[in-house]
Amino acid sequence: MQRTTFSFAPPVNDAAAWHLQLDDLAAKITEAFPGASASAGGDLGPGSADALSFEVPLGDGVCLEGLATTPYPEIGSVMVMQASVAEAARFAAWLRDSFVPSPALVNFTSELALNNGDDAYWAVPPYGSVDEIAKTLQQHIDATDR
């Protein structure tokens, strides 16, 4: 099973569409996923950005690790690290259906794509099942893993 880091973000042309607040994200993650944890971090990398590390239990002993960053107020992204397509799809469905203000506002890319020089963002399907999201994530992987 292939694993990569997936990054979920608002559309590039509307970067503040989510009005991302890390404390709100932490509260909603811990409320939605029993046993989840979230902790605020400091600045990351060469630029200033607030960060939130989180861990989400998905069942069967599987935990998804993530990181959310906001380099600017209400603007940021949420990553799930070293996730399978199925694991990332479960988190993306929650993000789309329970966190962002509109289901059409979730785009994504992957570490695999970026490492292969592809910086295009794909859209998470605004409607449909976790399986449909997983198919889209897999199509992205297939298109960029060359």
Side-chain angles (χ1 to χ4, degrees), residues 103-135:
L105 293 176
V106 184
N107 289 349
F108 74 95
T109 190
S110 68
E111 180 181 33
L112 183 62
L114 295 172
N115 286 344
N116 288 328
D118 182 353
D119 61 358
Y121 274 80
W122 290 46
V124 168
Y127 304 99
S129 68
V130 170
D131 288 340
E132 290 175 58
I133 295 172
K135 286 178 189 171

Side-chain angles (χ1 to χ4, degrees), residues 81-103:
M81 275 98 79
Q82 297 307 305
S84 70
V85 164
E87 294 162 357
R90 287 180 60 191
F91 187 80
W94 172 80
L95 197 63
R96 177 195 71 185
D97 298 340
S98 302
F99 184 72
V100 301
S102 167

Side-chain angles (χ1 to χ4, degrees), residues 34-101:
S37 63
S39 60
D43 291 342
L44 297 175
S48 178
D50 289 329
L52 175 77
S53 297
F54 59 90
E55 196 170 279
V56 174
L58 296 178
D60 298 326
V62 175
C63 259
L64 194 58
E65 291 184 33
L67 179 69
T69 59
T70 52
Y72 303 101
E74 298 191 355
I75 296 175
S77 63
V78 180
M79 294 181 283
V80 290
M81 275 98 79
Q82 297 307 305
S84 70
V85 164
E87 294 162 357
R90 287 180 60 191
F91 187 80
W94 172 80
L95 197 63
R96 177 195 71 185
D97 298 340
S98 302
F99 184 72
V100 301

